[in-house]
Amino acid sequence: MRLDASQPANETAHSAKGFRFAIVASRWNDSLVSRLVDGALDALKELSADGDAIKIYRVPGSFEIPLCALKAAASGKFDAIICLGVIIRGDTPHFDFIAAETSRGISEVGLRTGVPAMFGVITAENVEQANGRAGTKHDNKGYEAAIAAVQLMNLYRKEFGK
Ligand code: RBF
């Protein structure tokens, strides 16, 4: 399924207005991660997020994303946490450990705090593959993660009041 800012699944226009966002992004593979951050910012702007509603936290690598995301979620300052990173397999077995812990940790943030934590971490075999997922709009996992965050927050607010 493709996530589209202009045509949400339930045909109600989703807005980011009034919601507060933390973006937690890793510095490892910085040139690619910065494109994910830009993609997320573009999406939030398109969905009318307030100018001062977005805070960006940079952490060393993807492995460090979950703890920073947990602290941001637990602070009560944000309605959603958008986690962005790039993990490239290359030829190291570290890939599997880092990728598994990062995804498990991000999932745990949402379940522990009730604050949606979006998985915008690219796990790729090589730089070319990662490049293709850090393009523009729907070819950018940061853009897609931000759209998904706004859809979720609107869903939760409508159905559960928060
Ligand atoms: N962090 C990433 O975000 N992406 C990577 O592709 C990545 N590859 C790594 C490969 C090795 C061999 C090591 C030791 C670390 C790597 N890291 C990577 C950094 C990791 O997420 C973390 O910041 C460091 O291990 C410090 O805890």
Side-chain angles (χ1 to χ4, degrees), residues 110-121:
L111 296 176
R112 270 207 211 183
T113 63
V115 177
M118 311 311 298
F119 187 76
V121 178

Side-chain angles (χ1 to χ4, degrees), residues 3-14 47 147 151:
L3 297 168
D4 190 332
S6 57
Q7 294 175 317
N10 67 2
E11 293 176 14
T12 307
H14 288 306
L47 294 175
I147 298 283
Q151 288 188 351

